[in-house]
């Protein structure tokens, strides 16, 4: 399944869903993903493996 990145509204990491507007920066390299988050509930950096990240697009 392919999705257009313009349609992505959320990123899921494990059981946590993050809205795109809350993500300030995404870096992907060496099989890892680094996100900088600034939302009402979470502020900080998240590091995880690429296999843990799902892009969610709502039509």
């Amino acid at each position: 399944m392919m999705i257009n990145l313009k349609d992505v509204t959320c990123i899921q990491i494990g059981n946590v869903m993050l809205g795109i507007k809350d993500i300030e920066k995404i870096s992907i390299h060496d099989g890892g993903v680094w996100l900088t988050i600034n939302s009402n509930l979470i502020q900080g950096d998240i590091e995880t493996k690429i296999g843990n990240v799902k892009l969610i697009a709502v039509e």
Side-chain angles (χ1 to χ4, degrees), residues 6-25:
K6 293 187 302 182
D7 297 331
V8 173
T9 57
C10 298
I11 291 181
Q12 181 177 350
I13 301 173
N15 293 329
V16 177
M17 298 275 288
L18 301 166
I20 291 296
K21 64 179 179 177
D22 297 330
I23 300 172
E24 292 185 347
K25 180 179 174 185

Side-chain angles (χ1 to χ4, degrees), residues 11 13 16 18 23 25-27 32-38 42-49 52-53:
I11 291 181
I13 301 173
V16 177
L18 301 166
I23 300 172
K25 180 179 174 185
I26 299 175
S27 300
V33 178
W34 289 262
L35 299 112
T36 301
I37 310 296
N38 187 13
I42 301 172
Q43 292 86 33
D45 297 325
I46 296 174
E47 177 183 349
T48 189
K49 295 179 181 175
N52 295 335
V53 178

Side-chain angles (χ1 to χ4, degrees), residues 1-12 20 53-59:
M1 175 183 182
M2 291 183 60
I3 60 173
N4 189 332
L5 290 178
K6 293 187 302 182
D7 297 331
V8 173
T9 57
C10 298
I11 291 181
Q12 181 177 350
I20 291 296
V53 178
K54 295 180 184 176
L55 302 177
I56 310 295
V58 178
E59 295 182 22

